[in-house]
Amino acid sequence: MTGHLPALLIAVPLIGGVISLFLRGRFLPWAWAQIITTAVLVITCGLVEAVLTGGTITYRFGGWPQEWGIAYRIDALNVFVLFIVALIGCVATIYARYSVDDEIPSDRHHLFYCIWLLALVGLLGITATADVFNVYVLLEVSSLTLYALIAMGKNRDRRALTGALRYVIIGSVGASFILLGIGYLLMVTGTLNLPDMARQLAAMPEAARNRTVLVAFAFLFVGLSVKMALFPLHMWLPNAYGSAPSAVSALVAATATKVGVYMAVRFLFSVFGPGFTFTALSTEVGDFTFTCDGVLLVLACLGVLYTGIEAMRQRELKWILAYSSLGQISYMVIGLALLNRDGVTGGIIHLLNHALIKGGLFMAAGCAVFALASQRLDDLNGLGRRMPRTAAAILVGGFGLIGFPLTAGFVSKWYLVKGALAAGHPTVAVVLMLGSVFALVYVWRVVERMYFTAPAADAPIPRRLPLSMEVCTWFLVGGSVLIGIAGKPFADLAGRAADEALGGHALMISTPATPSSPQAVEP
Amino acid sequence: MNLVTALANYWVAIAIMMIGLYGIIAKRNLIKQAIALGIFQTGIFLFYVSMAVVKGGTVPVWFTLADGSKHPGPYDNPLPHCLMLTAIVVSVSVFAVAIAIIINIRRSYGTIEEDEILAIEAGEGPGT
């Protein structure tokens, strides 16, 4: 049974999603989704345990040799991402019960939970698979479902429609670029299997001078940048996150872009390999050397500054959080582009930290929307007295965004700054600090409204919040504080994932192709 | 000249992709943008399918001919064709989702011209 966990990870939510189409009413579809997401979380925990004790798992569907068939490959790096997705998926489903009741017409609930589960299939599948075409298909599964989930925010805010459509157009172009890049790679390597592809590329003499490989790299780089919303290809994100249904915002913000960042790590580090991506691709123009990590660092630093300023200008809570997400994604990219163990660890642990912080904050924003039917800052005046627990959650989560000591944000910042200094990029360390200052300003704008502004005389009395919504919010916010206080075990996990990202390629290309005997688990 | 004739299929595929990409960027009508997206993806299908072609290749099916010789000799790579079947399904679904959202936009905003929608949104200011 445990040998088949990688297949069950996808099969359970996929079949569960289809079954939920046949359930009716408000309670049944949700309860079913809750059972499925809990099962997924249990399966993922099993995988975490298996990978931590037994090392990398390769699962071959149908027992085909992995060069021919489809294989799932789960190592220290993607099991970390799988855990984030499964955990947030489970918690967000608990949260969704009343939030979705409030925002989606009740005759649509079974459809909502169907695509909700299918979105999880896509996100988990992209992360687990070792087949590049599978990556594309599951990427489209997750994207298509997310477009629909976001558009369902139309009942509360019609901008959800324009946001979703922009996401459809830009996201599809990005995915098509990834498809093109995969096509060029298929042309030169003749394989779709990820480790096999890495092996072929590494064996190719002068791969960095091969026009086809370069074009493949360029298409993949741009496509992945769109999917992880790296500045300046981020314009689809704020409207989509800002106007989606609250539960969807929490799920998407905490998982979708993380999976995008993971895909970038997979392609840049594992398929092409650090030697190709960051050394062989360097181009000298005059006295200046362009490198891939340099380009990533510059884009991410500009992203931190630009989105920080944009976040300060927003007048709605969820839009502030959306712009802040962009800055936080830039932190992860900075960490990865630093290329040393501290930096990459910082980038990877920030995947988890940001998922908890931003998931919690979007849930808190959802609580405010539920109780006040508004997310405008003007309507949040005096929230500290009107909804003390929600306001406190926003405050604590905001500290995490700033990177205040004793919060998870501090742990990531610590590793990132350490990595930046070790890599000899003091400017990057300064940008990281500036990012915190910007975060302080935009968080303060909210805090000032909540605690130091009297509510308008005709301000509505907030509706009573369901317990489950508050518990979920505090679970994620509290989790982020827990990592801030006792982050060592999580940092160790992220460190193992960083080792996998940095050293996995060398290991992958040195292992010979797997024998063709059907065998589920590789030692 | 050789560059043109030998790679004609790729030139056509790239040209179709660029027409689609131009449409996505330049057209302000949402339906036209969705159609342009479809054109762009069609270019990619053509690219994949043409890369599978082998000179003198036929269908990759095993059978024995009347004269007792085994077929196939050289055959086209079937893998990209299979991939594109999946990609076509994906492309159709994307188009369907896009059209569904555009219908909702038409109902809600009363227009499918991007400029007019942006003007309406700018006039509204932040919603609730």
Side-chain angles (χ1 to χ4, degrees):
Chain A
M1 184 70 183
T2 51
H4 292 292
L5 284 181
L8 286 175
L9 181 70
I10 308 305
V12 168
L14 184 62
I15 296 168
V18 175
I19 290 177
S20 85
L21 275 181
F22 301 101
L23 304 171
R24 285 292 181 276
R26 289 159 168 242
F27 177 74
L28 266 184
W30 168 79
W32 178 247
Q34 189 60 60
I35 294 169
I36 298 289
T37 48
T38 313
V40 168
L41 183 60
V42 171
I43 293 171
T44 314
C45 289
L47 282 173
V48 172
E49 209 254 324
V51 169
L52 289 186
T53 54
T56 305
I57 301 171
T58 305
Y59 184 88
R60 293 187 219 110
F61 280 92
W64 293 91
Q66 52 165 324
E67 287 72 19
W68 300 346
I70 291 171
Y72 276 15
R73 187 173 180 282
I74 296 170
D75 58 21
L77 173 61
N78 57 6
V79 85
F80 190 77
V81 182
L82 286 176
F83 179 70
I84 297 174
V85 175
L87 177 73
I88 300 288
C90 185
V91 177
T93 312
I94 305 175
Y95 178 89
R97 169 91 170 95
Y98 293 100
S99 177
V100 168
D101 231 10
D102 191 43
E103 294 178 21
I104 314 272
S106 58
D107 60 332
R108 299 285 164 84
H109 280 196
H110 58 293
L111 299 174
F112 178 90
Y113 285 110
C114 171
I115 49 178
W116 175 270
L117 289 175
L118 292 182
L120 277 179
V121 171
L123 295 168
L124 294 166
I126 298 168
T127 316
T129 188
D131 181 279
V132 283
F133 195 74
N134 233 287
V135 170
Y136 167 74
V137 173
L138 289 161
L139 175 71
E140 286 288 20
V141 169
S142 72
S143 303
L144 280 166
T145 46
L146 291 179
Y147 304 148
L149 285 175
I150 288 166
M152 280 189 168
K154 65 173 179 156
N155 298 309
R156 193 176 52 77
D157 184 347
R158 66 176 177 176
R159 285 171 307 168
L161 292 171
T162 48
L165 188 70
R166 188 171 301 159
Y167 188 13
V168 171
I169 303 278
I170 301 180
S172 299
V173 172
S176 301
F177 276 15
I178 293 175
L179 180 62
L180 260 176
I182 291 172
Y184 280 103
L185 280 181
L186 177 65
M187 265 168 118
V188 275
T189 63
T191 177
L192 291 170
N193 180 261
L194 207 138
D196 198 30
M197 195 176 254
R199 227 173 280 129
Q200 305 260 2
L201 282 174
M204 189 186 280
E206 286 285 301
R209 297 284 163 269
N210 184 318
R211 198 71 71 77
T212 317
V213 178
L214 287 179
V215 172
F217 183 85
F219 273 121
L220 282 170
F221 188 87
V222 176
L224 292 168
S225 302
V226 171
K227 281 296 167 185
M228 63 180 169
L230 180 64
F231 178 84
L233 299 169
H234 63 278
M235 281 317 294
W236 55 269
L237 188 143
N239 194 351
Y241 284 20
S243 42
S246 305
V248 175
S249 295
L251 178 76
V252 179
T255 56
T257 42
K258 313 291 172 295
V259 171
V261 173
Y262 162 77
M263 273 197 291
V265 178
R266 255 304 167 240
F267 277 104
L268 299 188
F269 285 85
S270 304
V271 175
F272 288 101
F276 174 88
T277 311
F278 302 111
T279 315
L281 274 188
S282 309
T283 321
E284 279 178 43
V285 180
D287 294 337
F288 196 78
T289 315
F290 281 97
T291 57
C292 185
D293 49 324
V295 171
L296 279 174
L297 277 180
V298 169
L299 290 179
C301 286
L302 287 175
V304 169
L305 301 177
Y306 171 79
T307 55
I309 292 168
E310 276 293 325
M312 291 181 213
R313 294 176 49 220
Q314 299 305 312
R315 288 186 289 169
E316 289 173 63
L317 182 55
K318 276 167 74 175
W319 287 62
I320 296 178
L321 297 178
Y323 273 102
S324 141
S325 279
L326 291 169
Q328 306 280 328
I329 293 159
S330 302
Y331 287 153
M332 295 164 208
V333 175
I334 288 177
L336 299 172
L338 287 172
L339 296 183
N340 54 28
R341 191 170 186 275
D342 278 334
V344 176
T345 306
I348 289 173
I349 197 168
H350 201 51
L351 291 177
L352 173 64
N353 294 347
H354 181 247
L356 293 175
I357 297 171
K358 198 50 66 69
L361 275 171
F362 268 114
M363 284 184 181
C367 290
V369 171
F370 183 89
L372 303 170
S374 166
Q375 53 153 322
R376 272 188 299 190
L377 284 188
D378 293 338
D379 294 327
L380 298 184
N381 289 346
L383 198 74
R385 215 162 311 144
R386 294 154 73 201
M387 300 173 65
R389 288 187 299 273
T390 302
I394 295 175
L395 183 70
V396 176
F399 279 151
L401 288 182
I402 300 164
F404 216 67
L406 292 185
T407 63
F410 181 74
V411 179
S412 342
K413 281 277 168 62
W414 174 262
Y415 277 104
L416 289 175
V417 171
K418 222 165 96 179
L421 295 177
H425 293 302
T427 344
V428 174
V430 172
V431 171
L432 289 168
M433 297 300 174
L434 266 179
S436 287
V437 174
F438 287 176
L440 185 63
V441 175
Y442 63 69
V443 170
W444 176 254
R445 281 186 65 221
V446 181
V447 171
E448 195 226 334
R449 297 288 188 142
M450 292 192 309
Y451 287 101
F452 302 106
T453 313
D458 59 344
I461 295 163
R463 267 167 73 190
R464 229 180 84 83
L465 276 179
L467 184 66
S468 66
M469 287 174 77
E470 278 190 298
V471 169
C472 291
T473 310
W474 275 104
F475 179 77
L476 293 187
V477 172
S480 78
V481 175
L482 181 74
I483 292 182
I485 296 168
K488 193 79 177 69
F490 298 98
D492 289 343
L493 276 182
R496 282 184 70 165
D499 290 336
E500 180 66 40
L502 289 169
H505 180 253
L507 199 67
M508 211 185 263
I509 59 174
S510 63
T511 354
T514 39
S516 50
S517 62
Q519 164 197 1
V521 180
E522 189 175 85
Chain B
M1 194 58 208
N2 193 27
L3 196 65
V4 179
T5 50
L7 299 174
N9 48 344
Y10 293 113
W11 285 109
V12 173
I14 302 280
I16 293 176
M17 278 183 226
M18 289 308 114
I19 292 170
L21 205 53
Y22 169 82
I24 295 169
I25 298 167
K27 293 295 170 193
R28 310 315 293 169
N29 182 308
L30 297 181
I31 298 269
K32 286 183 183 169
Q33 283 184 12
I35 293 172
L37 186 63
I39 296 174
F40 178 60
Q41 288 171 330
T42 309
I44 298 178
F45 305 154
L46 200 55
F47 166 79
Y48 262 84
V49 170
S50 66
M51 114 190 150
V53 174
V54 173
K55 204 168 189 178
T58 56
V59 283
V61 180
W62 285 99
F63 57 87
T64 314
L65 294 176
D67 59 0
S69 65
K70 287 265 190 210
H71 185 81
Y75 59 92
D76 290 346
N77 184 357
L79 181 64
H81 294 83
C82 303
L83 301 184
M84 282 312 102
L85 280 179
T86 318
I88 288 168
V89 175
V90 167
S91 160
V92 171
S93 327
V94 170
F95 192 69
V97 172
I99 292 296
I101 295 175
I102 292 170
I103 291 172
N104 273 290
I105 288 179
R106 174 72 170 76
R107 281 191 193 138
S108 181
Y109 289 81
T111 174
I112 52 167
E113 295 293 326
E114 204 176 4
D115 301 333
E116 292 172 26
I117 293 169
L118 288 175
I120 294 173
E121 284 191 345
E124 274 178 352
T128 48

